[in-house]
Amino acid sequence: MRKFFVAVFTVFSLLFIGAIVVGFFLPKDFTVSRSIEVQATPEEVYALVGDLEQWPVWGPWKDADEALQVTLGERTKGVGASQSWVGTDGDGRLVFTKADPQSGIEFDLLFNEDAFANVSSITYEKRGDGLLVTWEMSGEVPAPVVGGYMAWMMPDMVSPMFDNGLAKLKAAAEN
């Protein structure tokens, strides 16, 4: 019986050590990208994504965290527009770095007292009679060992929220 427990302990120890070693070599950067076709003009989509006051209309965040408290910055449109939030899962802020009515927005997205910085965008391009709207986020999870695992899981964690937001954006823009 003792040999069995030693063998089990050895196997679990090797698996644990292997997971740590693999974690050191996994890439810590990630990109999440989701798209949807929208039957609307660039101006109609920009009116929703280019003005932070309109984000509650289509944003998926309240669905994920009902306790979320959002504070708008002095500017809500154009480069420099900003907002911050506090919720059950932490805090964050974003600042528009690009705002083009014909192609979309880009923004810096910072979480947990700026510990995690990401670059995000909502862009659109002509596709037939409508637009292909793409929401993308890229960044790095700098934590040693677990950062690679978190970066690897990030698309699975974020994609459902992006899909929800894009579906709501489509509904709002097409009405």
Side-chain angles (χ1 to χ4, degrees):
M1 183 60 100
R2 181 173 178 219
K3 285 183 180 182
F4 172 76
F5 287 118
V6 169
V8 168
F9 178 76
T10 301
V11 167
F12 280 115
S13 296
L14 290 173
L15 288 172
F16 181 73
I17 291 168
I20 290 173
V21 169
V22 168
F24 276 114
F25 293 101
L26 286 174
K28 292 176 178 50
D29 58 326
F30 67 89
T31 299
V32 180
S33 182
R34 306 299 285 180
S35 297
I36 195 167
E37 288 195 32
V38 177
Q39 298 302 310
T41 66
E43 294 78 18
E44 290 167 325
V45 172
Y46 186 75
L48 294 164
V49 301
D51 182 355
L52 292 171
E53 290 187 85
Q54 297 302 312
W55 282 33
V57 171
W58 60 269
W61 304 281
K62 279 283 194 185
D63 296 342
D65 183 358
E66 291 182 14
L68 191 69
Q69 297 295 316
V70 176
T71 303
L72 296 175
E74 288 183 28
R75 295 187 62 169
T76 63
K77 298 177 186 176
V79 173
S82 65
Q83 70 177 20
S84 60
W85 63 89
V86 176
T88 306
D89 295 326
D91 64 86
R93 65 186 181 95
L94 68 81
V95 179
F96 283 10
T97 56
K98 178 183 173 191
D100 181 348
Q102 294 306 307
S103 62
I105 60 168
E106 291 180 8
F107 50 98
D108 290 336
L109 189 58
L110 303 118
F111 295 99
N112 297 331
E113 298 178 7
D114 298 352
F116 300 103
N118 303 294
V119 174
S120 198
S121 63
I122 301 172
T123 58
Y124 35 88
E125 59 186 54
K126 283 281 195 192
R127 177 71 53 96
D129 292 337
L131 301 171
L132 180 67
V133 179
T134 301
W135 190 352
E136 185 170 287
M137 179 173 73
S138 60
E140 182 180 356
V141 185
V145 181
V146 297
Y149 288 108
M150 291 296 293
W152 177 58
M153 294 185 307
M154 194 64 73
D156 291 333
M157 293 188 303
V158 175
S159 291
M161 186 175 289
F162 281 15
D163 289 339
N164 181 13
L166 287 169
K168 290 170 115 180
L169 179 64
K170 175 182 175 74
E174 290 180 351
N175 283 333

